[in-house]
Amino acid sequence: MTAQPITDPALRSTLLDRVAFNADGLITAVAQDHATGEVLMLAWMNRAALDETLATGRVCYFSRSRKSLWRKGERSGQVQTLVDARLDCDGDAVLLLVEQKGVACHTGRRTCFYTALRPEGAVELMPPEIAPDVLYGA
Amino acid sequence: MTAQPITDPALRSTLLDRVAFNADGLITAVAQDHATGEVLMLAWMNRAALDETLATGRVCYFSRSRKSLWRKGERSGQVQTLVDARLDCDGDAVLLLVEQKGVACHTGRRTCFYTALRPEGAVELMPPEIAPDVLYGA
């Protein structure tokens, strides 16, 4: 079950006009595993990134550090296939239901949210499944 | 199942020192229903909001429009009780597993993410469960 790509540029443009990009032209994007419900990561999208994601069904973010489109998994192979994109009530955040290949986190963990803040301190909930140098090359 | 409040201010301070607040002193917070996995809303926290949340077990955000602490549900009664707080790998986003009383969205819907972007257009996935004027007074 993956999203049907939205092939009509005019429809994508109409949908993108509903999005309230911030002063930097960005919205927050939350990726969630469509099957397990696990929240995988949080990143950012500009209009071009969300347009590409809707057009291709492959998740593309905007890297604030590199200031360029970031096709998730282009180096690591850990791509995200879109299942559904859902805008929030004020249009400045998008929830991406995805099919995650492998792991979402650059540390090699399934999710980036692996550090729990608890009365016993900061608890690491899971070890890496893959070494980062395997993901990205040594 | 709710979080044990972290009563020790020194421990909270140590945990908060792991958080990478941005230039405005904020991090992104994603609230997820701990039982169903539904992503409910996205909001912001400053250090004081996260400190209060960890200390009390009741979720408190920072309102960027009002520039003040926003104790979720203080007007509507739709409070969020913390079950677990999880920091992401680079420390600039926090996932809050919560027990949501009633609805999370100010529109009266369970979640803020109710508008799907699909080939057939923008699809509203659910109606309000409660009228906003019941939540907030007419």
Side-chain angles (χ1 to χ4, degrees):
Chain A
M1 184 181 71
T2 55
Q4 288 296 105
I6 304 177
T7 51
D8 177 3
L11 171 58
R12 290 202 308 276
S13 185
T14 301
L15 292 172
L16 290 164
D17 286 345
R18 300 176 66 106
V19 181
F21 295 98
N22 70 13
D24 295 324
L26 301 176
I27 55 165
T28 319
V30 178
Q32 180 180 33
D33 186 299
H34 80 106
T36 66
E38 188 174 26
V39 174
L40 299 171
M41 59 181 284
L42 184 144
W44 296 82
M45 286 179 149
N46 63 2
R47 187 171 173 118
L50 183 52
D51 187 53
E52 178 172 315
T53 299
L54 296 175
T56 64
R58 184 70 66 85
V59 177
C60 173
Y61 298 106
F62 181 80
S63 166
R64 293 181 301 169
S65 55
R66 296 194 298 271
K67 300 190 193 316
S68 61
L69 293 181
W70 163 30
R71 294 174 181 94
K72 175 70 180 164
E74 64 189 335
R75 284 183 59 211
S76 65
Q78 314 289 292
V79 297
Q80 293 177 340
T81 304
L82 188 67
V83 174
D84 208 13
R86 298 180 185 170
L87 205 59
D88 80 347
C89 52
D90 55 2
D92 65 356
V94 65
L95 175 65
L96 307 169
L97 300 180
V98 303
E99 204 173 87
Q100 172 70 57
K101 183 170 175 192
V103 299
C105 184
H106 75 290
T107 65
R109 293 172 177 85
R110 177 80 183 158
T111 170
C112 295
F113 294 98
Y114 58 82
T115 305
L117 307 178
R118 295 185 180 167
E120 62 268 36
V123 177
E124 198 166 291
L125 299 175
M126 68 199 73
E129 294 177 21
I130 307 173
D133 62 359
V134 174
L135 279 178
Y136 295 103
Chain B
M1 183 181 73
T2 54
Q4 287 298 103
I6 304 178
T7 53
D8 177 3
L11 172 58
R12 290 202 308 277
S13 185
T14 301
L15 292 172
L16 290 164
D17 286 345
R18 299 176 67 107
V19 180
F21 295 99
N22 70 12
D24 296 324
L26 302 176
I27 55 166
T28 318
V30 178
Q32 180 180 32
D33 186 299
H34 79 105
T36 66
E38 188 174 26
V39 174
L40 300 171
M41 58 182 285
L42 185 144
W44 296 81
M45 287 179 149
N46 64 1
R47 187 171 172 118
L50 183 51
D51 187 54
E52 177 172 315
T53 299
L54 295 175
T56 64
R58 185 68 67 84
V59 176
C60 173
Y61 298 105
F62 180 81
S63 166
R64 293 181 300 170
S65 54
R66 296 194 299 271
K67 299 191 194 318
S68 62
L69 294 181
W70 163 30
R71 294 174 181 93
K72 174 71 181 166
E74 65 189 336
R75 283 182 60 210
S76 65
Q78 314 289 292
V79 297
Q80 292 178 340
T81 304
L82 187 68
V83 174
D84 208 13
R86 299 180 185 170
L87 204 60
D88 79 346
C89 52
D90 55 1
D92 64 355
V94 65
L95 175 66
L96 307 170
L97 300 180
V98 304
E99 204 172 87
Q100 172 71 56
K101 183 170 175 190
V103 299
C105 185
H106 75 289
T107 64
R109 293 174 178 84
R110 177 79 184 158
T111 170
C112 295
F113 294 97
Y114 58 81
T115 305
L117 307 177
R118 295 186 179 166
E120 61 268 37
V123 177
E124 197 166 292
L125 299 175
M126 67 198 75
E129 295 177 19
I130 308 174
D133 61 359
V134 173
L135 279 178
Y136 296 103

